[in-house]
Amino acid sequence: MKRTLLTALLMLGSLAAADTQPAPATTPQPAQVDVMTMNRDARCGQVLVTCLIGGKSMRMMLDTGATHTVLHKESAAKVTEGRWLDTSKMNFNGNANQKPDILISSLVAGPATAPEHAFMVLDLAAVRVSMAEPLDGILGMDVLGSIPFTFDLRQNEFYWGLPSQGQIAQLRGVQDPFGRLFIQAKCEGKDLPLLLDTGSSITRVAPEQWGPGAKGEVTAQVGDVNEAARVTVQEGKPADIEVAEGVVLKQISPIFGDNSAPPVLGMDALKDQVLIHLQTEESPFGVFLMLK
């Protein structure tokens, strides 16, 4: 059994430059660039959207597990409307071995726009090999936190905005200072903390966290900002995961990883679910919900 895994980008550090939160868009966009349409990558299943960055069309992945928005270095080099910051004296924390550059440029992402946004610039070649379509970058929670969106995997529809109807339940958990949600999930009555990570195609936990135990070995293509590799890993026995009142993710088989990275709830666990992000006055990054 073969499965493809695209791990999340987890940039934990803060920039030594002001983040710019997008505001509602008011400027008409060129007709040839549809910034409202989303689609899934045919190979890894991540959700992609076309954005305008410095006036250039960019294919970006929506990643709730990423704190900051990142551009591939070759894509960033095509942006002529912007300025580069000197990062030689900046300190960064995170899981990337690379030290990022920072580009300040305009951003249009769906219904939101920012005249100046700080983009981390990294070599995403190891991520791009897992994609069927060329990838220019990753939209993190610094952008997604201020925009309502819906991933309707029941109908295979993905859009900026909210469903017109349906009974919803808020995912229980704690948001970190960057807006990422660590779900307080339960599996077989035991607590199972999971990072909600739409940038990961497969759910990953430490072996000791998965009560049902191991099922067997699988081959996975692993790609993140550091490297890409095909590895053999243990797969957990399928079990249900409860993430909110009345919302149970049925028969999820995670892969096992070590404790060097937080356990994640990936796109495979969201099958047949409707994930919703809603802006609220109480939370600067909004809240996550699911239809019951």
Side-chain angles (χ1 to χ4, degrees), residues 164-232:
S164 58
Q165 58 184 356
Q167 188 176 8
I168 59 176
Q170 183 173 341
L171 298 183
R172 58 192 178 204
V174 178
Q175 285 181 300
D176 70 7
F178 304 100
R180 300 182 305 165
L181 178 65
F182 288 80
I183 302 173
Q184 295 173 343
K186 288 185 177 295
C187 179
E188 297 190 346
K190 297 181 180 179
D191 292 338
L192 180 65
L194 294 168
L195 170 64
L196 177 62
D197 190 353
T198 60
S200 178
S201 60
I202 296 180
T203 298
R204 183 184 70 245
V205 301
E208 62 270 18
Q209 293 176 303
W210 194 246
K215 175 183 178 182
E217 292 186 342
V218 295
T219 300
Q221 177 69 35
V222 179
D224 61 18
V225 293
N226 296 318
E227 62 180 352
R230 183 169 292 278
V231 297
T232 299

Side-chain angles (χ1 to χ4, degrees), residues 77-112:
K78 301 176 184 178
V79 177
T80 56
E81 299 178 4
R83 68 183 190 277
W84 294 85
L85 298 185
D86 180 5
T87 61
S88 61
K89 297 181 180 180
M90 294 183 184
N91 294 319
F92 297 90
N93 297 316
N95 72 326
N97 293 333
Q98 310 171 52
K99 183 173 182 177
D101 293 318
I102 298 177
L103 173 66
I104 307 295
S105 189
S106 61
L107 169 68
V108 179

Side-chain angles (χ1 to χ4, degrees), residues 46-102:
Q46 264 63 50
V47 179
L48 305 175
V49 65
T50 300
C51 298
L52 287 173
I53 297 174
K56 302 292 185 181
S57 177
M58 299 285 180
R59 199 73 167 156
M60 306 288 283
M61 175 172 62
L62 281 68
D63 187 352
T64 61
T67 59
H68 292 86
T69 294
V70 180
L71 280 178
H72 180 46
K73 67 176 184 178
E74 293 180 3
S75 302
K78 301 176 184 178
V79 177
T80 56
E81 299 178 4
R83 68 183 190 277
W84 294 85
L85 298 185
D86 180 5
T87 61
S88 61
K89 297 181 180 180
M90 294 183 184
N91 294 319
F92 297 90
N93 297 316
N95 72 326
N97 293 333
Q98 310 171 52
K99 183 173 182 177
D101 293 318
I102 298 177

